[in-house]
Amino acid sequence: MSGLLKSSIARKVVMALSGLFLVFFLGQHFVINITSVIAPDTFNSWSHFMGYNPLVQYILQPILIAGVIVHFVMGIGLELQNNRARSVKYAKYKGSANASWISRNMIITGLVVLAFLGLHMYDFWVHEMAYKYIEANPEDPTRYYEETVYKFEPIWRTVLYILAFVLLAMHLLHGFASSFQTMGVNNKYSPAIQTFTKIYAIAIPLGFAFIAIYHHLNPITH
Amino acid sequence: MKLNLKIWRQKDAGSKGKMMDYTIDGIDGDMSFLEMMDVLNEDLINKGEEPIEFDHDCREGICGSCSLQINGEPHGPDRLVTTCQLHMRKFSDGDTIVIEPFRAKAFPVIKDLIVDRSAFDRIQQAGGYISINTSGNTQDANSIPIEKENADDAFYAAACIGCGACVAACKNASAMLFTSAKVSQYALLPQGQVEATERVQNMVRQMDLEGFGNCTNTGACEVECPKGISLENIARMNREYLAANIKG
């Protein structure tokens, strides 16, 4: 198995599978978050379920964190290996002639998304862990909507989130479709798959950006 | 046509090379790129300087010998042609042309613009063959029915001339397009099934051992390939590789 994981194709498959898992997670994350705009009570009850259900907390959450770590560590490893494969660089390299900027700079968009994840974890996950396990507050199924809206009150955070969503869309535009090619899917269905991945890559981050802007423009006033 | 050339000069594999400037005049648009290089070398020889070494053989676009990274692209700005089939009419009077060897750790420079592409030979030797004896007992071509689509795809994959433009174009110096073309041309035919499992495993292992980078599906290789080898071959190789490892 360790021998197999040294193979370039096996590593790429790990990247593709972890990426597809994260894409799927992103979709369900969006479905929950959009309820904060259209049905705050539903948002509260779903968030409470996610925050206190043992299966979500002790099984799915660690799997998700592992997925992010695997995708990041493997991505960095492949990037370093790829850099070593051309130790003497070209004096003139016209990458734009044959490949898109997005496909050539996944490491940049990926690292920005990772940096955003740091801020995002600090904003929500660290706060949530402290609320539940350090401060040991009692369960309050009605707090999530207000907490979320409050987070988007400062313009700087809203802008940073939107910027991250733009970079996320760029990352997904190449990565989502690319994962199918890596898994060996390149057939008559590929144009349809490509179209779906591109719509998803733009629609989901756009939706997240909409949620952030909506909450920024509609603060809770007491 | 008068041109300014910036060309990589390197004495031998162990020396440090550098870009050198040359000016050339009287180049006709109907000349091939290699004929332009011939004219430059004639000038250098007449001046008592050492000519620039570059690979070439058939000069008909079928042997895969010529290489050259021209203005940042393997085989230059034209599509579906090798350097020998690139014509000077693609350039304009007064242009500056940057000419470098194909760059990859697995393609070390031997001298000037010549690189050692024997890594491709070793990948081919690792599995790019069939054990069926075809000498002296050749069967009728139609005795084994093969789907037209498969026959066509195998033929297109076999059109790879192993020039290395895919590696040169790829930002990761990956040899996936070459290797996948060589895997595909057998994987699609019944004669290739005997060694199918070991073939893809051995060729991918050799490709990795040579120090090529990993494919990130940018598609640069497909765009720059003088023979139009498709990315479908890479997907097919990935399928073959996964199936081979699941079979064990």
Side-chain angles (χ1 to χ4, degrees), chain A residues 86-160:
Chain A
R86 179 169 290 132
S87 39
V88 180
K89 308 293 176 203
Y90 287 113
K92 183 169 182 178
Y93 180 70
K94 205 172 166 190
S96 60
N98 46 43
S100 67
W101 187 94
I102 288 173
S103 73
R104 286 180 286 119
N105 292 283
M106 290 294 278
I107 190 72
I108 294 175
T109 52
L111 285 174
V112 173
V113 170
L114 187 75
F116 163 73
L117 272 185
L119 171 68
H120 189 52
M121 294 285 273
Y122 172 77
D123 279 350
F124 291 93
W125 190 75
V126 172
H127 167 81
E128 190 65 17
M129 291 296 115
Y131 182 92
K132 281 193 293 199
Y133 302 118
I134 298 171
E135 297 159 15
N137 288 311
E139 288 189 27
D140 176 6
T142 60
R143 67 189 163 93
Y144 303 96
Y145 174 70
E146 277 198 27
E147 283 174 4
T148 304
V149 176
Y150 173 73
K151 283 287 176 196
F152 292 103
E153 209 175 273
I155 184 76
W156 65 266
R157 184 181 277 114
T158 308
V159 169
L160 276 184

Side-chain angles (χ1 to χ4, degrees), chain A residues 2 10 37 48 50 53 66 71 79 83 89-90 100 117 133 159 179 185 188-189 206 213:
Chain A
S2 63
V37 172
H48 188 69
M50 298 300 269
N53 183 283
H71 197 70
E79 178 70 15
N83 279 334
K89 308 293 176 203
Y90 287 113
S100 67
L117 272 185
Y133 302 118
V159 169
S179 57
V185 181
K188 60 180 175 178
Y189 303 110
L206 196 65
I213 294 168

Side-chain angles (χ1 to χ4, degrees), chain A residues 3-4 6-13 77-79 81-95 97-100 103-106 174 177-187, chain B residues 19 69 71-74 79 98 100-106 167-173 176 204 207-208 211-220 223-224 231-232 234-235 237-239 241-242 245:
Chain A
L4 182 63
K6 279 184 188 153
S7 122
S8 54
I9 295 179
R11 288 179 176 189
K12 284 286 301 159
V13 168
L78 287 170
E79 178 70 15
Q81 202 177 10
N82 292 341
N83 279 334
R84 281 198 298 274
R86 179 169 290 132
S87 39
V88 180
K89 308 293 176 203
Y90 287 113
K92 183 169 182 178
Y93 180 70
K94 205 172 166 190
N98 46 43
S100 67
S103 73
R104 286 180 286 119
N105 292 283
M106 290 294 278
H174 177 69
S178 175
S179 57
F180 285 93
Q181 164 80 4
T182 298
M183 298 299 296
V185 181
N186 191 329
N187 51 35
Chain B
M19 298 300 289
Q69 187 84 352
N71 277 346
E73 287 183 84
R79 293 288 172 254
V98 180
E100 297 172 81
F102 284 177
R103 295 280 187 207
K105 195 180 135 210
V167 174
C170 177
K171 77 178 189 67
N172 311 318
M176 288 278 276
V204 168
M207 175 185 82
D208 290 342
F212 292 106
N214 302 282
C215 173
T216 50
N217 304 322
T218 68
V223 174
E224 298 291 354
L231 284 181
E232 280 177 35
I234 296 183
M237 178 166 76
N238 292 350
R239 283 200 300 277
Y241 187 79
L242 291 173
N245 282 292

